């Protein structure tokens, strides 16, 4: 069994604050109710009251909203080290649904667990608030980018953001990363048709920028891809520790 | 001078948790560095390192992002009781700018003030995390709505959301509210031209749904406006106290 400091969440939070042994012990306790979930079965339903939050330790999930007309809009994907439903554990009813893309492992966290952990270590509370701030900064970046970026730029930005997030938890690099998403996931998240996604990916590949094939994203020319997307990772705030 | 429990922030947080006298005292201390800011002068600049957060007590501000091409996209407006830059106080550099729409009063809050307050009262920490969750739920709702709602529905949804937020802090009702925004603000926030905004507002007025004139929004037929916008305020989570 891995030590808690190697867990994806600890690796992520350590980009913000150097957690002490005591703080890591509190974080470990938040991981105690480990659960396995199958692909395609919602962990959290939109409108569900009093649901738990989860710390994702293995696998990927997508968060989505069902529209009044029944259509589905993917808001974002979560990767190991991300909280699932952290926003909703404090809201009376979840404002979104969460579905595993593959079999996942996640630790269940109740509102009371958070209150207890916060009481013991306010620095951990700040680190979790930082992670929530970063999640919100991503949604804001997506909102602002939606009207401004064309399909190529949007795809490039999306692949680069995912790469940066995965690198933070040791699952990606400037060469690329393993990616379980289908073209349907990409289409739902980027507001494109599956045919359009296919065309955009082919263009990126033919231009020698990036290749997404057989569950793997390869950055063929990282710097040119960054230039195309005008990708500035400052909003991901993963450059250095802040609180010693 | 008003008691702290009548402050807009206390009124808002009380929708989530019944704050004790001790917790209100901690909240009062967060208000101690009161500042006045003039209209049109940024409180926070995008890219600025180590800025403070603020608790807005009087007046309205807008949060915006400057795009690489120099254009400006309004992300949202903040009203009394909202945190300004709470997300950025934990990020190394602010991901957005904040500009007062009118002269405002706001209390400066540093990261250390938050850590101290969180250490004293984890319930207040949870309440602030709740407010941050609610802010994120709004951005997600805007993101999802952007592709789905036409101009009339987007305007109706925007006016209703603002009304619900203002009602929570005692500044609005189902009849309407005072609103200092110009048509240029509405245009920048809703991704419409000023001419289009003007046309949409005229349509809502002629249909007997809502009137925005002379700094005042009047809901002429609240229920029909809700139906037009398919406005479900669940994501604002302001229905009842959660933690006793």
């Amino acid at each position: 069994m891995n030590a808690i400091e190697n867990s994806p969440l600890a690796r992520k939070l350590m980009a913000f604050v150097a957690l002490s042994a005591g703080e890591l012990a509190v974080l470990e306790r938040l991981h105690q109710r480990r659960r396995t979930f199958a692909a395609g079965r919602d962990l959290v339903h939109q409108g569900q009251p009093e649901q738990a939050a989860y710390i994702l330790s293995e696998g990927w999930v997508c968060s989505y909203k069902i529209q009044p007309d029944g259509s589905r809009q993917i808001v974002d994907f979560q990767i190991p080290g991300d909280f699932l439903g952290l926003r909703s554990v404090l809201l009376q009813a979840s404002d979104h649904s969460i579905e595993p893309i593959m079999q996942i492992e996640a630790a269940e966290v109740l509102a009371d667990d958070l209150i207890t952990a916060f009481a013991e270590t306010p620095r951990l509370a700040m680190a979790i608030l930082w992670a929530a701030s970063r999640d919100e900064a991503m949604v804001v970046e997506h909102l602002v980018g939606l009207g401004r970026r064309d399909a190529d730029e949007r795809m490039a930005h999306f692949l680069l953001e995912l790469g940066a997030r995965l690198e933070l938890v040791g699952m990606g690099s400037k060469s690329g990363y393993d990616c379980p998403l289908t073209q349907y996931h990409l289409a739902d998240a980027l507001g494109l048709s599956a045919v359009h996604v296919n065309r955009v990916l082919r263009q990126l590949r033919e231009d020698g920028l990036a290749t997404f094939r057989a569950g793997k994203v390869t950055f063929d020319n990282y710097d040119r891809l960054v230039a195309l997307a005008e990708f500035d990772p400052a909003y991901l705030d993963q450059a250095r520790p802040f609180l010693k």
Side-chain angles (χ1 to χ4, degrees), chain A:
Chain A
M1 178 156 162
N2 273 330
I4 184 68
E5 59 264 38
N6 294 326
S7 72
L9 178 57
R11 293 179 73 136
K12 182 166 109 170
L13 297 182
M14 295 266 214
F16 173 68
V17 56
L19 296 170
S20 69
E23 286 157 351
L24 284 167
V26 173
L27 193 59
E28 179 147 37
R29 233 182 318 117
L30 287 179
H31 282 79
Q32 67 192 350
R33 278 192 302 279
R34 290 166 197 271
R35 306 257 185 276
T36 301
F37 296 92
R41 295 271 298 274
D42 282 355
L43 266 82
V44 172
H45 294 285
Q46 190 169 331
Q48 178 183 334
E50 292 178 25
Q51 84 291 357
Y54 299 89
I55 298 166
L56 184 59
S57 53
E58 269 191 61
W60 293 41
V61 307
C62 72
S63 305
Y64 64 96
K65 279 203 172 208
I66 294 291
Q67 305 302 329
D69 68 2
S71 68
R72 153 186 165 135
Q73 164 86 45
I74 292 181
V75 176
D76 204 359
F77 301 97
Q78 278 75 42
I79 60 172
D82 285 345
F83 272 95
L84 312 180
L86 179 62
R87 170 167 91 240
S88 302
V89 80
L90 298 181
L91 303 182
Q92 196 176 12
S94 180
D95 70 322
H96 62 293
S97 298
I98 298 177
E99 181 189 296
I101 284 169
M102 58 210 297
Q103 179 171 305
I104 63 160
E105 299 205 0
E108 187 186 75
V109 180
L110 306 177
D112 281 348
D113 300 329
L114 282 177
I115 297 180
T116 306
F118 283 14
E120 288 180 84
T121 161
R123 276 161 43 105
L124 186 62
M126 290 291 278
I128 290 174
L129 187 56
W130 168 78
S133 298
R134 188 171 170 270
D135 290 347
E136 189 190 348
M138 278 186 239
V139 182
V140 168
E141 179 66 27
H142 299 168
L143 177 66
V144 169
L146 204 63
R148 185 170 65 84
R149 297 189 186 105
D150 68 20
D152 286 21
E153 295 163 355
R154 221 182 295 165
M155 179 68 77
H157 197 276
F158 176 82
L159 296 177
L160 287 163
E161 183 189 83
L162 261 181
R165 292 169 63 192
L166 287 161
E167 190 173 1
L168 184 62
V169 293
M171 300 176 68
S173 73
K174 290 195 167 50
S175 308
Y177 50 88
D178 290 332
C179 179
L181 303 180
T182 66
Q183 299 201 352
Y184 296 100
H185 288 124
L186 297 180
D188 272 3
L190 299 177
L192 304 171
S193 69
V195 172
H196 200 172
V197 163
N198 197 21
R199 194 161 54 215
V200 166
L201 288 176
R202 183 169 2 105
Q203 190 65 49
L204 290 178
R205 190 172 66 239
E206 290 177 358
D207 290 347
L209 298 177
T211 306
F212 183 9
R213 198 152 40 186
K216 201 162 166 46
V217 171
T218 306
F219 293 132
D220 302 314
N221 190 326
Y222 188 84
D223 292 342
R224 276 180 53 219
L225 196 65
V226 165
L228 170 67
E230 299 189 294
F231 178 64
D232 175 356
Y235 67 98
L236 294 173
D237 198 49
Q238 51 190 55
R240 57 77 203 88
F242 169 59
L243 297 171
K244 291 299 175 311

